[in-house]
């Protein structure tokens, strides 16, 4: 068969990979060979809706590298629920000297009572360790439409006649934000949102006009293999992603007690006085408490059933869980399981451990609270 290209973005049309560039339903491809749009361009044109595409690490790096050679403002989107897990390491090596604004999304899942100023202070402390150099921070909830006007005002403040690129890992909510911006934008104007082929890639980037000559350009997200999301099917992914303000669950534990977060991770309190542990996980995740001496047995008997997700099949793919040990520091800390949640601990100098799949990031950080 001759290669047929999408009229919108120029990708070669294909019928086998739904999430790759150029996908089109087989029936449509057989009906007509002219004026065809891939599913992504079709949805963008007719519904003003952006869908994700998957690209390889190489394609992603090419795109980021390109940004270093243009004079642009970069919006780097992160997930406030999993800040470290959604940070792109060595970002300045890719984007060069360009100015960057950090956009912290999913503000709605953190406690309302928490002050925005305090969240920003905490973000600054953490990103410093990653060598991030930023102009400003915006806190938004793309899904609820909160903070978007403030973000647009920040963009205007810093972009000074330049294009604006949005970058971020998958699942930070980039499509949700771009869709929200497209909706606002199209309420005000009939200007066309366009796509353009990025040199050296198979990819079309969405361009939203900011003025006559400049665009807000969406780039695809990089898949983050140390986030839990990568290892779950769609249904279980929805189960772990918090949808609204998290109601923390507080447990008073004696040493040698264990908490299971469904079958996804396990927390052991190994040594210290009786103390409290504040757990921030999606409200859908069930916490099971047991004695440390009983934990291995409970897990092997009930994984994939009482302790699910993961399903038995997913657990088979995840492999035996790795144990990470921590001794808590003087100041309050959070122990994070990337993309799943975190446990906030005030007591200093106690010993705890986390069991989680070997590729999922587990780390300790200064507390958000
Ligand atoms: P992308 O991969 O970065 O494009 O992320 P998506 O826009 O597809 O969002 C990933 C998941 O996060 C989806 O389940 C969204 O519904 C959810 N999400 C996006 N924005 C928000 C938000 O502001 N708050 C909450 N609670 N969830 C969000």
């Amino acid at each position: 068969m001759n290669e047929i290209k999408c009229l919108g973005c120029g990708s070669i049309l294909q019928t086998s990979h739904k999430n790759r560039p150029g996908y089109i339903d087989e029936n449509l491809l057989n009906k007509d060979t002219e004026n065809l749009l891939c599913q992504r361009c079709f949805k963008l044109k007719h519904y003003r809706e952006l869908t994700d595409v998957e690209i390889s690490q190489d394609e992603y790096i090419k795109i980021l590298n390109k940004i270093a050679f243009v004079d642009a403002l970069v919006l780097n989107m992160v997930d406030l629920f999993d800040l470290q897990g959604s940070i792109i390491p060595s970002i300045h090596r890719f984007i060069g000297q360009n100015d960057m604004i950090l956009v912290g999304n999913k503000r709605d899942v953190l406690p309302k009572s928490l002050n925005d100023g305090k969240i920003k202070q905490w973000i600054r402390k953490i990103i410093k360790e990653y060598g991030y150099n930023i102009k400003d921070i915006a806190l938004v909830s793309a899904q609820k439409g909160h903070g978007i006007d403030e973000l647009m005002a920040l963009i205007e403040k810093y972009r000074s006649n330049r294009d604006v690129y949005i970058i971020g890992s998958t699942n930070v909510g980039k499509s949700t934000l771009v869709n929200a911006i497209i909706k606002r934008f199209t309420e005000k104007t009939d200007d066309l949102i366009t796509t353009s082929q990025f040199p050296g890639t198979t990819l079309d980037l969405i361009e939203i006009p900011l003025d006559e000559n400049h665009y807000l350009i969406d780039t695809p997200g990089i898949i983050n293999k140390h986030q839990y999301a990568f290892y779950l099917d769609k249904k279980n992914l929805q189960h772990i992603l918090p949808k609204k303000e998290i109601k923390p669950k507080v447990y008073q534990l004696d040493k040698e007690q264990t908490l299971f977060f469904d079958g996804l991770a396990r927390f052991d309190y190994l040594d210290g006085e009786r103390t409290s542990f504040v757990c921030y996980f999606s409200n859908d995740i069930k916490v099971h408490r047991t004695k440390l001496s009983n934990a291995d047995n409970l897990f092997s008997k009930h994984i994939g059933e009482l302790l699910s997700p993961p399903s038995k099949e997913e657990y088979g793919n995840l492999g035996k869980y790795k144990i990470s040990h921590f001794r808590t520091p003087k100041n309050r800390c959070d122990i994070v399981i990337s993309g799943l949640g975190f446990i906030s601990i005030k007591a200093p100098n106690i010993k705890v451990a986390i069991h989680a799949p070997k590729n999922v990031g587990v780390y300790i950080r200064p507390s958000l609270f």
Side-chain angles (χ1 to χ4, degrees):
M1 189 178 75
N2 286 336
E3 281 174 353
I4 305 170
K5 289 188 174 169
C6 164
L7 203 65
C9 64
S11 299
I12 295 168
L13 294 174
Q14 50 89 14
T15 56
S16 18
H17 303 288
K18 258 198 163 142
N19 299 325
R20 296 275 308 163
Y23 176 77
I24 186 170
D25 187 276
E26 206 171 345
N27 295 328
L28 291 174
L29 188 63
N30 292 337
K31 238 197 233 161
D32 193 354
T33 51
E34 281 173 32
N35 307 327
L36 283 174
L37 289 175
C38 70
Q39 191 177 71
R40 187 163 184 250
C41 286
F42 185 87
K43 280 194 180 161
L44 185 69
K45 182 167 179 219
H46 295 289
Y47 304 117
R48 298 284 174 188
E49 192 185 300
L50 177 68
T51 44
D52 282 335
V53 280
E54 280 172 13
I55 57 165
S56 70
Q57 178 96 8
D58 282 357
E59 285 171 312
Y60 184 73
I61 301 284
K62 268 187 202 153
I63 288 172
L64 282 191
N65 273 332
K66 200 89 190 167
I67 299 177
F69 295 100
V70 291
D71 186 15
L73 173 67
V74 175
L75 299 186
N76 184 357
M77 213 165 161
V78 292
D79 180 348
L80 292 173
F81 184 55
D82 185 18
L83 180 58
Q84 277 101 326
S86 55
I87 278 176
I88 302 170
S90 316
I91 187 72
H92 294 287
R93 235 199 300 150
F94 299 122
I95 65 162
Q97 298 302 312
N98 281 317
D99 291 339
M100 183 162 87
I101 296 177
L102 196 81
V103 184
N105 187 33
K106 309 195 187 177
R107 168 66 184 93
D108 55 296
V109 306
L110 297 182
K112 281 197 191 76
S113 56
L114 204 61
N115 179 292
D116 278 0
K118 193 167 173 202
I119 300 178
K120 288 184 186 175
Q121 222 178 7
W122 172 78
I123 293 176
R124 284 187 193 279
K125 190 149 96 188
I126 293 196
I127 60 173
K128 223 166 136 188
E129 293 166 25
Y130 290 81
Y132 266 50
N133 182 8
I134 56 168
K135 282 276 169 207
D136 220 319
I137 301 179
L139 301 181
V140 302
S141 169
Q143 204 171 53
K144 303 252 182 314
H146 297 163
I148 301 200
D149 289 336
E150 290 82 350
L151 171 64
M152 296 309 280
L154 273 189
I155 294 175
E156 283 312 311
K157 179 172 168 192
Y158 290 108
R159 83 176 170 90
S160 46
N161 269 326
R162 291 180 293 179
D163 286 336
V164 180
Y165 284 81
I166 308 193
I167 61 172
S169 328
T170 48
N171 286 316
V172 297
K174 207 159 56 59
S175 314
T176 311
L177 178 73
V178 173
N179 278 326
I181 294 175
I182 290 175
K183 282 212 178 74
R184 274 174 205 225
F185 175 81
T186 48
E187 273 162 19
K188 289 193 211 132
T189 164
D190 284 337
D191 274 357
L192 255 191
I193 290 159
T194 53
T195 61
S196 75
Q197 188 97 43
F198 213 77
T201 70
T202 53
L203 202 78
D204 49 311
L205 299 186
I206 307 296
E207 298 186 334
I208 305 166
L210 292 169
D211 60 33
E212 295 226 326
N213 301 311
H214 298 99
Y215 298 90
L216 179 74
I217 301 160
D218 179 49
T219 67
I222 180 75
I223 294 171
N224 220 330
K225 292 193 180 159
H226 55 260
Q227 286 192 312
Y228 223 123
F230 184 72
Y231 301 94
L232 299 175
D233 70 16
K234 254 200 172 135
K235 185 170 136 259
N236 287 340
L237 174 61
Q238 284 312 314
H239 180 82
I240 70 161
L241 289 176
K243 282 150 215 79
K244 52 183 184 199
E245 184 177 348
I246 292 173
K247 301 276 171 262
K249 295 188 174 109
V250 185
Y251 291 87
Q252 295 284 337
L253 299 186
D254 290 313
K255 68 175 178 183
E256 296 179 4
Q257 289 196 303
T258 288
L259 300 175
F260 281 101
F261 301 97
D262 288 326
L264 295 161
R266 161 179 159 187
F267 170 80
D268 293 341
Y269 180 21
L270 298 174
D271 198 22
E273 298 294 312
R274 181 177 173 79
T275 189
S276 63
F277 298 92
V278 191
C279 305
Y280 290 85
F281 290 78
S282 161
N283 301 334
D284 294 339
I285 289 183
K286 283 189 290 304
V287 184
H288 306 261
R289 175 179 174 152
T290 187
K291 282 190 201 140
L292 179 63
S293 57
N294 190 32
D296 284 347
N297 196 14
L298 187 86
F299 187 76
S300 53
K301 243 187 178 157
H302 296 293
I303 182 68
E305 290 166 3
L306 173 72
L307 302 176
S308 77
S311 64
K312 279 201 162 137
E313 194 190 341
E314 278 167 333
Y315 179 63
N317 295 332
L318 288 169
K320 197 167 180 293
Y321 290 179
K322 178 187 77 182
I323 311 177
S324 313
H325 288 269
F326 299 95
R327 186 179 279 280
T328 55
K330 214 163 67 210
N331 294 325
R332 189 174 195 119
C333 68
D334 301 333
I335 296 191
V336 187
I337 307 159
S338 194
L340 185 66
F342 60 92
I343 301 146
S344 187
I345 309 174
K346 193 168 169 206
N349 206 25
I350 62 168
K351 274 163 79 178
V352 300
I354 297 282
H355 301 233
K358 67 174 187 310
N359 293 324
V360 171
V362 175
Y363 42 85
I364 189 164
R365 69 181 185 198
S367 178
L368 173 58
F369 304 101

